[in-house]
Amino acid sequence: MYGRVYLAGGIAGLSGEAAIDWREKVARTFEDFSVQVRDPMRAKKVLREQPVISGNFHDYAGRGHFFTSKGIMTRDFNDVKQADVLLVNLLYAQKPSLGTIMELAWAFALQKPAVVVIEAQGNPHDNHPMIHEAMPFRVTTLEEGVEAVLTILGVE
């Protein structure tokens, strides 16, 4: 195994497909290179059919531990701590993704490299200086993001 990557990016406000599909696609690529993936949508595939994932976690009460605030926070923080690198997809964001901002802050504090896929300009995550500085590697496509992660992990 070459390392572990955490797949950060928007969830709330997106369709289930939009939140899940890009993660599944890049996970298959990473697995081809023996890179372990941590996906915050694991155990949440039931949301695939949601036209819009709610930003209020209370709407998913009763769906299990990983739909609770404690479950989400604990698992995702643990995943970021265990990751060697984060791949953060911010493409097409209409508003800041609060959970993703937390994950970027954790990565910064834990000195984990983050490869951020973001438009060259116009993304709402670029408007705050601290968020901007928490993005050490910036690329504009998922393909470039995957390549950058593989390079950081030393995959030839």
Side-chain angles (χ1 to χ4, degrees), residues 112-131:
K112 307 278 183 172
V115 175
V116 181
V117 184
I118 188 170
E119 295 86 357
Q121 58 186 354
N123 190 291
H125 293 87
D126 251 348
N127 296 332
H128 193 282
M130 292 170 69
I131 297 168

Side-chain angles (χ1 to χ4, degrees), residues 86-102:
L86 277 66
L87 177 62
V88 183
N89 182 1
L90 297 176
L91 287 175
Y92 315 115
Q94 300 300 306
K95 60 185 175 87
S97 171
L98 301 180
T100 306
I101 292 167
M102 292 278 297

